[in-house]
Amino acid sequence: MTLARKRTSSTSGKEELTILPPRRITQRTRWILLILLLTAVLLYVNGPLSRRHVVVISSTYYANSRSITNNTVVVLFNSYKRWYLEKPLLCVSRNATHEKRSLAHVQHAFEPIGICRWTAFVAHCPTVHQPSSFELSTAQYFQSSAELPLRLPYQRKVDVVACFSPLFYNERWQLLVNTLEIYRQYGVGVQAYYVQSMLTEIMDLLKLYQKAGYVEIELWPMLSLGQHFEQEMGYSPNSELDFRNQASAHTDCLLKYKDAAKFIITSDIDDVLFPRLGETYIEEFMKLSRDNPFAAGFLYNRYKTEVTTAMRPEHFSLSGLIESAEIHDEWADGKSVYNPERVFTAWIHWPGLTHSSQHKMHLVSSHKNIMVHLRKWKMDSDAPAALRQKTKSVSGRSAKHFDVFDLRIRDLISPSKTRQLQAEFNRTYAQTEEFKKLPVTVRYYPLIADCYQKTFYDKLMKPDSCPGPINCFLPPMPDVRCSIAKANFIFNKVHEGLFVHYAQQARFVTHKDGCNMLP
């Protein structure tokens, strides 16, 4: 700062202004200013440090695991993406004879999405053997804590599990049936469907597969911090988690099934893999594992595929849908099959964290196999005639040739195998009352596709805000029955700087005016 001083001239008797030289800033003042600047940056980057909200998705206890240290709880949670607590997170576990306090090792489950404010985390917590209670606290404020419900990992041993992205406003039963049957008949032991909302008639069919042991239905309710906290923050965490918090669902599924399965497929339900290197999925994955002994998993290229199918269940043909497929020379980011002993967290395209740096994903050559991405659909009210015409063109030598690879659907699955899929479907589910009652009208799909196109794809997948269907306007639909995942979220105040939330009483609620994405 420059200072000025007035003085009276000896010759003129008038006051004159003398400019003094600038005062030098001391070293102590410089340090104080630097500390103030760093504090301001931390406040800006981390948000208000006075309040940190943690929403727990699951707390899984591993007593004896193939890939996680014995007697460990892994907590999967959502929170503001830049992790900062004044004191470390503390895990408190107890059984009948012992108590253990351990510091949690907190990591991002995957690289946070830049434009989204919230993300997923995992916390490793060493525990006592067979804990009867488990709590989160902080190293300073251990007198207050949040007790969390524990779950055990899935116990039944299966060769392959499929973990799908959360379903919302789900109405395209033709796609669901196609995936259910292909994955079931090629050897997926458990198909895990995370459901936020789905037409009730489709849910009734899915429950038949669940009853038979092929499917696990996982409720995926919208998060809720409560009106007070969300008004204080100025937003809902749902709007700041990309694509309905899908990566949290993928990681939750991997954590649940990692000790039960030899391989885990992670994808959307419109990504379909036909095994070409073996008769079943396990044969293909074992062959790839023998050829690539250090692989953490296998990444399959995807190519956009167009199919034609029927609107009405009485006209639906599984074999006709498959044989109608036209594989386009339009590459999309690959989807993965994980070795769960080597992968700790999952994202939609590749792993977030692996257990060892020596294990890398192996890209499967498109000449060996691909995933078909059933992106383009033609819904035909007179499907049988349309399918017969399309099947004729696909099975003949006049089918479209692609520059990158010469693959037609018959190269991925033989006509005889397609007929076997159809025969098994006819024998098991095609004649059920639940299948016959499936809806015949498409309402939501065009609205969602248009919204995603405008907000995501037209912007070259660089959206202006955190992407997801919560940004889409989807009006109520009178007389449409929808099963919506709901839960009661409660919270514990550990101290003024940490609030831990988790869901209780998760259930499906049936609405008669369509689906919604309200907490």
Side-chain angles (χ1 to χ4, degrees):
M1 180 182 294
T2 302
L3 301 178
R5 180 183 298 168
K6 291 182 179 179
R7 68 179 181 86
T8 303
S9 171
S10 58
T11 56
S12 64
K14 297 180 180 180
E15 287 189 346
E16 295 180 354
L17 190 66
T18 301
I19 305 299
L20 300 179
R23 181 180 296 173
R24 297 188 65 181
I25 299 175
T26 65
Q27 188 72 13
R28 179 173 179 273
T29 303
R30 287 177 181 173
W31 278 110
I32 292 173
L33 291 174
L34 179 61
I35 291 170
L36 290 173
L37 177 62
L38 290 174
T39 302
V41 170
L42 279 173
L43 287 169
Y44 174 78
V45 169
N46 288 287
L49 299 182
S50 59
R51 293 263 170 91
R52 159 74 64 172
H53 293 279
V54 166
V55 183
V56 174
I57 304 298
S58 59
S59 304
T60 310
Y61 169 66
Y62 299 89
N64 186 13
S65 173
R66 296 182 299 174
S67 56
I68 293 176
T69 304
N70 293 347
N71 296 315
T72 295
V73 168
V74 176
V75 183
L76 171 65
F77 65 90
N78 295 130
S79 189
Y80 193 78
K81 66 182 177 184
R82 290 178 176 87
W83 180 253
Y84 177 86
L85 285 177
E86 292 179 340
K87 297 295 180 181
L89 199 62
L90 185 71
C91 308
V92 183
S93 59
R94 300 181 183 90
N95 58 23
T97 58
H98 293 83
E99 176 180 294
K100 185 169 186 173
R101 299 175 183 272
S102 58
L103 293 180
H105 177 50
V106 179
Q107 298 172 279
H108 284 117
F110 54 91
E111 184 69 23
I113 306 299
I115 202 168
C116 302
R117 285 187 270 194
W118 275 49
T119 192
F121 295 85
V122 284
H124 285 77
C125 292
T127 68
V128 297
H129 181 65
Q130 298 294 341
S132 57
S133 68
F134 176 78
E135 301 169 3
L136 286 182
S137 185
T138 61
Q140 181 177 357
Y141 302 95
F142 60 84
Q143 68 277 9
S144 297
S145 59
E147 184 171 355
L148 301 178
L150 292 178
R151 73 174 183 185
L152 297 176
Y154 193 78
Q155 299 297 308
R156 179 167 66 94
K157 301 299 182 183
V158 292
D159 287 333
V160 182
V161 167
C163 296
F164 296 110
S165 300
L167 302 178
F168 65 102
Y169 289 79
N170 185 262
E171 65 177 352
R172 182 152 288 179
W173 57 264
Q174 298 89 342
L175 171 58
L176 184 64
V177 168
N178 177 74
T179 301
L180 279 165
E181 286 298 318
I182 292 171
Y183 279 65
R184 175 176 78 92
Q185 296 192 45
Y186 274 118
V188 171
V190 176
Q191 301 180 49
Y193 289 89
Y194 284 67
V195 180
Q196 185 275 322
S197 55
M198 170 183 284
L199 297 194
T200 301
E201 294 83 358
I202 304 176
M203 176 66 74
D204 291 340
L205 178 67
L206 192 61
K207 287 179 179 178
L208 289 184
Y209 285 84
Q210 181 186 40
K211 186 177 180 180
Y214 299 117
V215 160
E216 290 286 330
I217 300 175
E218 306 284 350
L219 289 97
W220 198 243
M222 305 297 288
L223 307 185
S224 176
L225 302 182
Q227 185 176 7
H228 170 74
F229 289 133
E230 291 183 8
Q231 285 182 346
E232 181 181 76
M233 292 167 56
Y235 61 87
S236 163
N238 298 299
S239 64
E240 295 298 332
L241 288 161
D242 66 298
F243 291 118
R244 65 229 180 259
N245 202 12
Q246 64 178 2
S248 296
H250 297 144
T251 293
D252 181 74
C253 191
L254 179 62
L255 291 172
K256 181 175 180 178
Y257 295 100
K258 73 178 346 279
D259 282 343
K262 295 177 181 176
F263 297 95
I264 294 179
I265 303 170
T266 301
S267 68
D268 295 311
I269 65 169
D270 60 357
D271 301 315
V272 177
L273 178 67
F274 296 99
R276 294 184 74 200
L277 307 180
E279 292 296 317
T280 61
Y281 291 122
I282 188 62
E283 289 182 12
E284 173 151 333
F285 302 154
M286 290 300 292
K287 181 181 185 335
L288 288 170
S289 295
R290 288 191 296 270
D291 294 342
N292 305 276
F294 295 103
F298 311 107
L299 183 66
Y300 286 85
N301 289 307
R302 292 183 304 149
Y303 288 85
K304 293 181 181 179
T305 302
E306 181 178 330
V307 293
T308 300
T309 190
M311 294 283 287
R312 308 182 68 87
E314 61 266 29
H315 293 159
F316 177 75
S317 167
L318 176 62
S319 60
L321 186 156
I322 295 171
E323 291 172 352
S324 77
E326 292 183 352
I327 305 172
H328 292 243
D329 184 14
E330 295 181 52
W331 178 88
D333 285 322
K335 296 293 177 67
S336 293
V337 176
Y338 297 125
N339 178 339
E341 288 190 44
R342 297 175 177 179
V343 174
F344 182 42
T345 65
W347 191 55
I348 184 64
H349 295 294
W350 39 78
L353 299 171
T354 57
H355 289 293
S356 171
S357 59
Q358 70 174 336
H359 297 135
K360 307 292 185 183
M361 294 296 290
H362 171 75
L363 178 62
V364 179
S365 167
S366 295
H367 296 283
K368 290 184 177 180
N369 207 352
I370 64 166
M371 277 190 179
V372 292
H373 182 202
L374 304 182
R375 182 80 167 84
K376 301 178 180 180
W377 287 73
K378 291 182 179 179
M379 310 297 288
D380 201 306
S381 58
D382 185 27
L387 287 172
R388 284 193 297 271
Q389 181 62 34
K390 186 172 288 292
T391 301
K392 180 179 178 181
S393 67
V394 171
S395 60
R397 293 304 300 173
S398 60
K400 184 176 179 181
H401 177 83
F402 302 106
D403 294 334
V404 175
F405 57 93
D406 185 13
L407 273 183
R408 293 174 286 272
I409 195 65
R410 66 175 186 173
D411 297 316
L412 302 180
I413 177 172
S414 67
S416 62
K417 183 60 181 179
T418 303
R419 290 193 294 270
Q420 291 177 23
L421 294 177
Q422 180 69 58
E424 171 64 11
F425 176 58
N426 290 343
R427 186 186 68 82
T428 50
Y429 295 101
Q431 302 305 317
T432 62
E433 289 300 314
E434 288 80 359
F435 179 75
K436 294 177 182 178
K437 292 179 180 178
L438 290 172
V440 298
T441 304
V442 176
R443 298 175 177 88
Y444 292 118
Y445 185 82
L447 300 176
I448 295 170
D450 182 64
C451 175
Y452 271 34
Q453 190 67 40
K454 291 178 180 177
T455 61
F456 189 66
Y457 294 107
D458 285 350
K459 298 180 182 293
L460 303 178
M461 294 186 285
K462 296 180 179 179
D464 301 324
S465 60
C466 191
I470 199 168
N471 299 320
C472 303
F473 173 69
L474 300 169
M477 298 286 183
D479 301 321
V480 173
R481 296 172 65 237
C482 183
S483 296
I484 306 171
K486 299 287 185 180
N488 300 331
F489 280 85
I490 64 172
F491 72 89
N492 290 99
K493 176 182 174 182
V494 177
H495 58 79
E496 279 298 329
L498 179 61
F499 292 77
V500 178
H501 307 248
Y502 59 92
Q504 281 190 336
Q505 299 176 341
R507 72 270 181 203
F508 283 111
V509 175
T510 301
H511 283 208
K512 295 182 179 180
D513 60 349
C515 304
N516 64 58
M517 300 196 80
L518 300 175

